[in-house]
Amino acid sequence: VQLVESGGGSVQTGGTLRLSCAASGDTYCMTWFRQAPGKKREGVASINTQLGTTYYADPVKGRFTIAQDNAKNSVYLQMNSLRPEDTAMYYCAAEDYCGGSWDLPENYLYWGQGTQVTVS
């Protein structure tokens, strides 16, 4: 499975961005991670594409929304009320099954190349 992200960019504090992740095949768990310079990769939001169950990291709850488009094998991350601390490289990750902790990078086999989000 190949994952291709798009939609990153530079915005001002309080702005919005929508990230997209297109998968070349079926996956069950799709998750957005982010990594800022000098920091660990952290889970942002995840969706079980079969059940529609979603999970969010505490810092983004109420501001970010993860959603899927089954027809397009795609997942989106709508990011509102962006803050400078949201600045990071954002990665889409996927796995063929949902198990374990959704926010652990080692639980994912497939990764996209990343898209940069900068908030100033």
Side-chain angles (χ1 to χ4, degrees):
V1 175
Q2 292 184 330
L3 304 175
V4 179
E5 303 108 329
S6 60
S10 297
V11 296
Q12 293 186 335
T13 299
T16 65
L17 282 173
R18 186 179 188 235
L19 305 183
S20 300
C21 175
S24 62
D26 292 334
T27 59
Y28 284 90
C29 274
M30 296 188 75
T31 299
W32 286 97
F33 286 85
R34 65 186 181 187
Q35 188 167 18
K39 294 189 176 182
K40 292 183 178 180
R41 190 167 295 191
E42 62 175 1
V44 176
S46 181
I47 186 166
N48 180 317
T49 60
Q50 302 304 303
L51 301 177
T53 311
T54 58
Y55 305 90
Y56 295 93
D58 286 342
V60 307
K61 283 181 180 176
R63 300 188 298 123
F64 290 11
T65 302
I66 189 169
Q68 64 187 61
D69 183 337
N70 289 336
K72 297 181 179 180
N73 260 4
S74 295
V75 169
Y76 307 97
L77 185 67
Q78 178 68 41
M79 304 188 295
N80 299 330
S81 302
L82 283 162
R83 305 167 180 168
E85 53 264 39
D86 295 319
T87 295
M89 184 72 78
Y90 282 70
Y91 297 91
C92 179
E95 187 51 272
D96 295 325
Y97 63 94
C98 295
S101 299
W102 69 268
D103 57 349
L104 292 181
E106 54 264 38
N107 287 343
Y108 293 86
L109 180 60
Y110 309 111
W111 288 86
Q113 80 287 354
T115 185
Q116 178 68 37
V117 171
T118 302
V119 185
S120 60

